[in-house]
Amino acid sequence: METPEDTDRGRKPGRPRSAESQRAILEATSRLLDSMPVRALTIEGVAKAAGVGKPTIYRWWDSKCALVMDVFLAKTAAQVPIKETGPVVAALSEHVLRVIAMLRGRAGQIVAEIVGEGQAEPHILEEFRERFFLRLLAPARATIERGKQTGELPPDLDTDLAMDLIYGPIYYRLLVGHQPLDKPFARSLAARVATTLQT
Amino acid sequence: METPEDTDRGRKPGRPRSAESQRAILEATSRLLDSMPVRALTIEGVAKAAGVGKPTIYRWWDSKCALVMDVFLAKTAAQVPIKETGPVVAALSEHVLRVIAMLRGRAGQIVAEIVGEGQAEPHILEEFRERFFLRLLAPARATIERGKQTGELPPDLDTDLAMDLIYGPIYYRLLVGHQPLDKPFARSLAARVATTLQT
DNA sequence: AATAAAACGTTACGGATCGTTTCGTAATAT
DNA sequence: ATATTACGAAACGATCCGTAACGTTTTATT
């Protein structure tokens, strides 16, 4: 989202950007996303639903994907809480359960659709990595680091690799869709955290 | 690819389907894919490059993705060989190395692009799962089953889960792109096969 | 040899959507 | 009062979709 850089409140002459229009755009996009896939969403459709001109949308967002990303991140807690005290393995196991629960349903679909669109637009994928994946998984990463400090985990553990070993199977299922993100899977994966990190 | 069902050689009257046109379409698509992403490929572009009419392409393939899939699968060995004797862990470790090597470069990009397009077209994703993923990973799955038979692996091991634990991180990196599919990663992942399967 | 049938390449079609431009109007700073 | 900017509406040229129309070519059938 490209916010106007009026730091010293509207110093420039001319009509100010309409926050109301912006809100209408976000709201219309959110509503439309409830009933159609990202691919079917169009800027023209959003403009019509929001009662707004197309140029106004383009004034705020570069592309459909950028808009969808903002809407998704606004309505989705982009950070799943993790227990910051106690055994790190238990904290991570629970985090795995919560991440899987979060990716079940429409939220997971949208994540998959954005990543899908991102295959054709690298900068979208990069932005989504930073704004979603990095943020979502940051607490888990920090917890692994903590475990290396406390001695609960091997100090030479490769954190990047460990993160991929734990969370890779989740996104594999989400994106390829060969198996469901159901509770048995979640429990099995959570139960594996210990052996994955400690051996 | 929709082949004509002329089992008893061209029994129907009328001009037969032109195998030459089909070849030209496949060849043109392959050539175009070397210099542009799947998203940028168009049926009109292929028709022009192949010296063929659009309707002829639609006679053979339902959609751009179906065509791309055929081209990709034709030029890519959709099955990475695996050693069928000896220790199963060693066989699987080597298979992991080979799969990662295969997904490095343009082939991996196309896999990611097809999966990406598949997020908006479920039937495409399903077809690609069956024709690429299932086929590529079938030998590994069979090897795990063999290990359960020989006692090298726990007999109650969940094969589906095991497959995702091993291969999930690979596709996670391929599709999200947060880390490279480089050789250190490949070696680390291969080295982890034993502990992943045996504990 | 004549006829019917089917695929061919070409061309054109209506439709959707893109991202931009133009226009007259509204809102703000100077 | 004037300059400046955003606004909504409308229209633009462009691209690509998937299909249809047309005359031509190739085959099986009669």
Side-chain angles (χ1 to χ4, degrees):
Chain A
M1 183 153 42
E2 301 185 341
T3 64
E5 326 82 339
D6 316 71
T7 43
D8 43 318
R9 57 171 93 162
R11 71 205 181 303
K12 284 189 298 186
R15 183 175 178 170
R17 306 280 295 272
S18 166
E20 167 57 22
S21 291
Q22 194 209 29
R23 193 206 55 76
I25 293 166
L26 290 167
E27 199 278 333
T29 303
S30 175
R31 188 156 34 79
L32 289 174
L33 275 182
D34 285 338
S35 61
M36 59 171 62
V38 173
R39 178 65 74 88
L41 195 83
T42 66
I43 295 286
E44 300 208 344
V46 172
K48 181 146 296 184
V52 146
K54 276 201 294 177
T56 303
I57 299 182
Y58 283 111
R59 239 173 250 123
W60 289 98
W61 292 276
D62 286 335
S63 67
K64 177 180 75 171
C65 284
L67 170 58
V68 169
M69 211 183 301
D70 276 349
V71 169
F72 172 74
L73 292 172
K75 56 160 43 170
T76 304
Q79 198 154 350
V80 172
I82 194 168
K83 205 150 174 285
E84 295 186 3
T85 59
V88 300
V89 166
L92 287 165
S93 292
E94 193 181 337
H95 190 253
V96 164
L97 293 175
R98 287 183 177 171
V99 166
I100 292 175
M102 196 264 266
L103 292 175
R104 225 162 9 220
R106 184 76 184 118
Q109 274 183 36
I110 294 182
V111 170
E113 289 180 282
I114 294 176
V115 172
E117 297 291 314
Q119 300 305 321
E121 290 160 274
H123 61 103
I124 290 291
L125 186 57
E126 182 182 347
E127 185 181 345
F128 196 53
R129 269 201 307 268
E130 288 174 6
R131 297 181 62 190
F132 176 73
F133 285 89
L134 256 177
R135 204 162 301 181
L136 176 70
L137 300 181
R141 170 176 294 272
T143 299
I144 290 179
E145 295 292 350
R146 179 163 67 87
K148 287 159 72 172
Q149 295 285 334
T150 66
E152 291 168 89
L153 302 179
D156 63 334
L157 179 67
D158 181 338
T159 303
D160 286 332
L161 179 67
M163 289 292 296
D164 291 350
L165 293 175
I166 296 175
Y167 294 94
I170 299 174
Y171 292 103
Y172 179 35
R173 287 202 175 193
L174 176 69
L175 291 164
V176 177
H178 56 299
Q179 296 281 349
L181 287 177
D182 56 12
K183 287 179 182 170
F185 170 69
R187 278 193 284 264
S188 300
L189 197 60
R192 285 246 165 204
V193 169
T195 63
T196 299
L197 296 181
Q198 290 170 338
T199 57
Chain B
M1 184 155 41
E2 303 185 340
T3 63
E5 327 82 340
D6 317 72
T7 44
D8 44 317
R9 57 171 96 161
R11 73 208 180 301
K12 284 189 299 189
R15 182 175 178 170
R17 306 279 295 272
S18 165
E20 167 57 23
S21 292
Q22 195 209 28
R23 192 206 56 74
I25 294 166
L26 290 167
E27 199 277 333
T29 303
S30 175
R31 188 157 33 79
L32 290 173
L33 276 181
D34 286 337
S35 61
M36 59 171 62
V38 172
R39 179 63 76 88
L41 195 83
T42 66
I43 295 287
E44 298 208 344
V46 172
K48 181 147 296 186
V52 147
K54 275 202 293 178
T56 302
I57 299 181
Y58 283 111
R59 240 172 249 125
W60 289 98
W61 291 276
D62 287 334
S63 68
K64 178 180 77 174
C65 283
L67 169 58
V68 168
M69 211 184 301
D70 275 350
V71 168
F72 171 74
L73 292 171
K75 55 161 44 168
T76 305
Q79 198 155 350
V80 171
I82 194 169
K83 204 151 175 287
E84 294 185 5
T85 58
V88 300
V89 167
L92 287 165
S93 292
E94 193 182 338
H95 189 252
V96 163
L97 292 176
R98 286 183 177 171
V99 166
I100 292 175
M102 196 263 266
L103 292 174
R104 233 172 348 234
R106 184 75 185 120
Q109 273 184 35
I110 294 182
V111 170
E113 290 181 282
I114 294 175
V115 172
E117 297 290 314
Q119 301 304 322
E121 289 161 274
H123 62 101
I124 289 292
L125 186 57
E126 182 183 346
E127 185 181 344
F128 197 53
R129 270 201 305 270
E130 288 174 6
R131 296 181 61 189
F132 176 72
F133 285 89
L134 256 176
R135 204 162 300 181
L136 176 70
L137 299 180
R141 170 176 294 272
T143 300
I144 291 179
E145 296 293 349
R146 178 164 67 87
K148 286 158 72 173
Q149 294 286 335
T150 65
E152 291 168 89
L153 302 180
D156 63 335
L157 179 67
D158 181 339
T159 304
D160 287 331
L161 179 66
M163 289 292 295
D164 291 350
L165 293 174
I166 296 175
Y167 295 94
I170 298 173
Y171 291 104
Y172 180 35
R173 288 201 173 193
L174 176 68
L175 291 164
V176 177
H178 56 298
Q179 296 281 349
L181 287 177
D182 55 13
K183 287 180 182 170
F185 170 69
R187 278 193 284 262
S188 299
L189 197 60
R192 285 238 161 214
V193 169
T195 65
T196 298
L197 296 180
Q198 291 171 339
T199 59

